Amino acid sequence: MNRHKIKNKLSSLAAIGILGTSILTFSSCQGIIEEEVISKIGNDYMNTPSGLNDGVNAAYSSFRSFYGTERGNNLTIFGTDTYTNGSDGSWKFMNAYTSQFDSRNGHVRELWDDFYEGINTCNAVIERAPEVTGMDASIKAQRVAEAKFIRAHHYFLMTQFFGGVDLQLSESVVPSKEVSRSSVPEMYAAIIHDLESAIPDLEPNMQSSDYGRVTRPTAEHLLGLVYLTKASTEAQETEDYTKAEDLFKKVINDYGFQLLPDFASVYEFGNEINDEIIFSIQYTRDPLNNGGGNNTHLYFLMEYDVQPGMERDVANGRPWKRYRPTEYTLNTIFSNRDIDSRYNKSFKHVFKTNKPGTYNTTFDQSKSSVTFAEGDTAIYIPGYEMSEAERAEKPYQVLSPSLYTDKLYPTLNKHLDPGRADKTQEGGGRDYVVFRLADTYLLLAESQLMQDKTAEATATINTVRRRAAWPGMEAQMEITPAEMTFELLSEERARELLGEQKRWLDLKRWGILVERVKRYNDNGAPNIEDFHVLRPIPQNQIDRAAGGNDAFPQNPGY
């Protein structure tokens, strides 16, 4: 398997963006169209086999605007019940839902523009493919199917974030200010059509022979999620949950995916390709082909690097202190730690000394000083309260829950990237996992529970729970149909998928975003309102539309 083949191509045309067309920017003062040249490659290049291939690869690169970036994480991790903000960063208002979160928000503007560039690239591939000669017909059909998947994916996320948007299904080759907002049912109809027409032409394998490309189970997983989400919107239809269930079963049963025996190994460094991964966004160690890199390794870390016996290093990461787990996460989601291994395997519990010496203590005042040799435990985070007398007996600092702050808290270990070149590097090289089999099982259980198939949902969710058990505790981890409730499902997704860019979208799909933030996120609770279930339309999009807000109205509340 040539893992690096597509990875090294993905950024080759990232700068081309919409391939021979141009991005439009508009001056809000003068209303003048300005064309920003994105490529000097001739327009006819897209009509060749190599041009079509490169166009698809350029479209793949638009995934990197969302997955593994600060904007993608802020839009999905912040403002939920599982994470609140840490001490640092200028985007805390996105967690707190203050008035700063408005139509001028840079993250929503960048995502909007980048996704539309990707969509227009897909439109060009789909429209021009029939005229491309000298290309194997099956490969051409596959590339068109990949473009349809990418277009559907982008519109699906945009529909969840913004509601109906401008539904462009043909290539834009000249500047235009004529845009309008489609309805949510129209959005879902287009998304489903793209995915259904793409599936037959995608590789019917667990992993592509050209690793990193979309495969049939990737599209089936997404289509199942689309139906599951659509069922809770004004576009809902009677068969949505049934269709979702059938698709998730196909992914689970037809391709050879398997849950890894150990939950910890799913995100083990160096194990990015494994039998549980359905689709991941590829990054690389080559700075020329890595865009901004996978930056998620920066965000979930506590301030370990100024504590006694510690300094910043590559293995422990560069702590930007963005995302801090809520009390709900620590005390409710992970309350069953004697049986369920996922708390232990999701968080970092020990920091080893990399700066030996004798120091005055900082957060742990149970002793006045500590002395460390290289490799000694400097910080221990037990996850439970330890009395001052117990802490005093330890030759290191103990960070008990009562000592947590917005700088000091349990560090999620899923995204650590010890393969970076040095301790200052922001752009990581690990692939970002988008779909994995445990997620498919949990979505299947959700689709079954929503159809009152409680026994089936119980059996499905127990598959994931057994894997999560400590050895010998599998039977204790199983639940009965009487215990199979929506609340348990919600908690199970939090336990399994914590920090994986899913929680805001889950809460939105379930219709409980506002309720959960008010209950569990102290920083977001005072300000969140019902209108926050949608994000603001970027102001530059409204300004560039002929007719302004009347033609392209802002979402309510912004």
Side-chain angles (χ1 to χ4, degrees):
M1 178 182 299
N2 188 348
R3 175 176 192 255
H4 299 286
K5 187 174 182 183
I6 187 173
K7 173 174 284 189
N8 289 336
K9 288 180 180 177
L10 279 180
S11 293
S12 63
L13 289 191
I16 294 175
I18 53 178
L19 291 168
T21 68
S22 53
I23 300 175
L24 308 187
T25 59
F26 296 85
S27 167
S28 59
C29 297
Q30 300 175 348
I32 298 173
I33 300 177
E34 299 175 356
E35 296 188 40
E36 177 187 351
V37 176
I38 300 300
S39 172
K40 295 182 179 179
I41 292 177
N43 189 52
D44 290 341
Y45 179 63
M46 270 289 290
N47 301 327
T48 68
S50 59
L52 194 74
N53 267 314
D54 285 345
V56 176
N57 292 343
Y60 271 100
S61 72
S62 61
F63 282 119
R64 291 176 172 175
S65 181
F66 182 69
Y67 295 108
T69 64
E70 187 168 18
R71 75 177 67 88
N73 278 277
N74 282 350
L75 286 165
T76 53
I77 304 295
F78 265 163
T80 66
D81 53 358
T82 54
Y83 270 94
T84 187
N85 58 269
S87 63
D88 290 353
S90 58
W91 300 94
K92 292 191 282 289
F93 64 85
M94 293 182 68
N95 176 65
Y97 293 98
T98 70
S99 59
Q100 285 181 274
F101 196 169
D102 60 19
S103 62
R104 295 164 296 180
N105 183 283
H107 280 344
V108 295
R109 181 182 66 249
E110 291 157 2
L111 182 70
W112 183 282
D113 290 346
D114 290 350
F115 269 14
Y116 268 115
E117 286 184 35
I119 287 166
N120 200 45
T121 303
C122 292
N123 290 343
V125 168
I126 294 164
E127 286 193 338
R128 298 187 186 204
E131 306 304 319
V132 174
T133 59
M135 189 175 190
D136 180 91
S138 63
I139 296 297
K140 187 198 300 187
Q142 182 183 332
R143 297 294 178 263
V144 169
E146 292 169 35
K148 288 180 178 179
F149 173 92
I150 296 168
R151 183 171 71 180
H153 169 277
H154 290 4
Y155 275 136
F156 178 50
L157 275 181
M158 294 183 79
T159 302
Q160 291 173 89
F161 285 134
F162 303 109
V165 297
D166 188 33
L167 186 60
Q168 294 286 345
L169 298 175
S170 58
E171 181 185 5
S172 297
V173 294
V174 295
S176 174
K177 297 176 70 173
E178 299 299 325
V179 292
S180 61
R181 295 191 64 174
S182 296
S183 68
V184 169
E186 288 171 333
M187 297 302 302
Y188 276 104
I191 292 163
I192 290 169
H193 180 268
D194 266 352
L195 291 172
E196 288 183 337
S197 62
I199 285 171
D201 292 321
L202 293 168
E203 288 187 72
N205 304 315
M206 187 171 75
Q207 295 175 341
S208 171
S209 56
D210 192 0
Y211 185 83
R213 293 193 181 278
V214 172
T215 61
R216 191 172 296 176
T218 308
E220 288 170 344
H221 177 105
L222 178 59
L223 182 55
L225 179 56
V226 168
Y227 277 120
L228 191 64
T229 305
K230 173 174 171 282
S232 62
T233 73
E234 61 264 44
Q236 63 181 273
E237 295 178 281
T238 305
E239 299 301 313
D240 285 341
Y241 288 126
T242 301
K243 290 179 178 179
E245 179 184 11
D246 291 343
L247 286 158
F248 295 136
K249 284 181 175 178
K250 281 181 65 62
V251 175
I252 291 168
N253 296 325
D254 291 0
Y255 300 100
F257 294 107
Q258 300 179 53
L259 294 179
L260 301 189
D262 183 3
F263 171 81
S265 61
V266 177
Y267 278 89
E268 181 181 359
F269 180 71
N271 193 37
E272 283 77 16
I273 303 177
N274 61 64
D275 288 345
E276 188 165 330
I277 305 303
I278 298 170
F279 184 58
S280 60
I281 305 307
Q282 294 184 286
Y283 288 93
T284 177
R285 299 294 171 193
D286 179 358
L288 295 177
N289 290 316
N290 204 31
N294 179 353
N295 300 318
T296 314
H297 63 90
L298 300 163
Y299 306 134
F300 293 89
L301 312 182
M302 77 170 204
E303 190 179 68
Y304 74 89
D305 56 338
V306 298
Q307 306 306 325
M310 297 302 302
E311 62 182 358
R312 185 190 302 173
D313 61 16
V314 174
N316 289 298
R318 183 177 176 181
W320 281 22
K321 302 181 289 296
R322 295 297 195 261
Y323 309 132
R324 172 169 55 98
T326 61
E327 290 188 12
Y328 170 69
T329 293
L330 298 174
N331 300 326
T332 300
I333 298 301
F334 292 111
S335 61
N336 197 22
R337 302 174 193 179
D338 292 341
I339 299 173
D340 191 327
S341 70
R342 284 174 291 191
Y343 174 82
N344 182 273
K345 294 174 179 179
S346 294
F347 293 100
K348 186 176 178 65
H349 306 288
V350 175
F351 287 86
K352 298 285 189 180
T353 297
N354 59 16
K355 190 178 181 182
T358 297
Y359 303 88
N360 294 329
T361 53
T362 51
F363 57 83
D364 181 2
Q365 299 299 311
S366 66
K367 71 278 286 180
S368 60
S369 66
V370 284
T371 300
F372 303 122
E374 185 77 26
D376 286 350
T377 295
I379 304 171
Y380 175 50
I381 310 171
Y384 59 86
E385 200 57 45
M386 190 179 288
S387 70
E388 185 171 0
E390 288 178 285
R391 288 187 278 118
E393 295 176 357
K394 308 298 183 184
Y396 42 77
Q397 293 202 98
V398 178
L399 183 62
S400 293
S402 62
L403 302 177
Y404 294 167
T405 69
D406 60 358
K407 296 178 184 289
L408 298 171
Y409 45 79
T411 286
L412 189 72
N413 62 23
K414 289 181 176 180
H415 305 295
L416 292 175
D417 189 353
R420 294 174 300 129
D422 59 63
K423 63 185 180 182
T424 66
Q425 186 178 7
E426 296 177 17
R430 298 190 68 177
D431 293 350
Y432 193 93
V433 176
V434 178
F435 303 144
R436 61 183 179 92
L437 191 62
D439 185 18
T440 316
Y441 271 109
L442 294 175
L443 292 172
L444 172 60
E446 182 178 335
S447 67
Q448 292 167 330
L449 186 63
M450 293 302 183
Q451 298 175 78
D452 294 322
K453 297 181 177 180
T454 308
E456 292 93 329
T458 302
T460 300
I461 211 166
N462 277 338
T463 304
V464 176
R465 288 178 61 83
R466 280 191 298 270
R467 192 271 293 273
W470 289 110
M473 297 286 188
E474 291 81 5
Q476 291 94 317
M477 273 291 285
E478 293 187 354
I479 62 166
T480 66
E483 298 170 301
M484 182 66 245
T485 64
F486 173 79
E487 186 66 22
L488 183 137
L489 174 72
S490 169
E491 292 179 3
E492 195 66 27
R493 283 189 65 79
R495 276 186 286 272
E496 182 70 28
L497 303 168
L498 188 72
E500 298 184 28
Q501 287 194 214
K502 299 190 184 298
R503 192 61 175 181
W504 193 93
L505 297 166
D506 282 349
L507 297 178
K508 163 74 183 286
R509 179 173 74 253
W510 298 329
I512 60 174
L513 173 68
V514 176
E515 166 198 333
R516 287 302 179 102
V517 171
K518 285 182 177 293
R519 188 183 305 176
Y520 296 120
N521 188 323
D522 290 343
N523 291 331
N527 302 311
I528 192 169
E529 299 183 44
D530 289 345
F531 72 81
H532 285 120
V533 298
L534 291 175
R535 308 305 199 175
I537 301 293
Q539 190 61 44
N540 69 331
Q541 172 62 32
I542 295 172
D543 291 343
R544 67 171 63 132
N549 192 73
D550 291 337
F552 208 92
Q554 179 59 269
N555 284 327
Y558 293 103

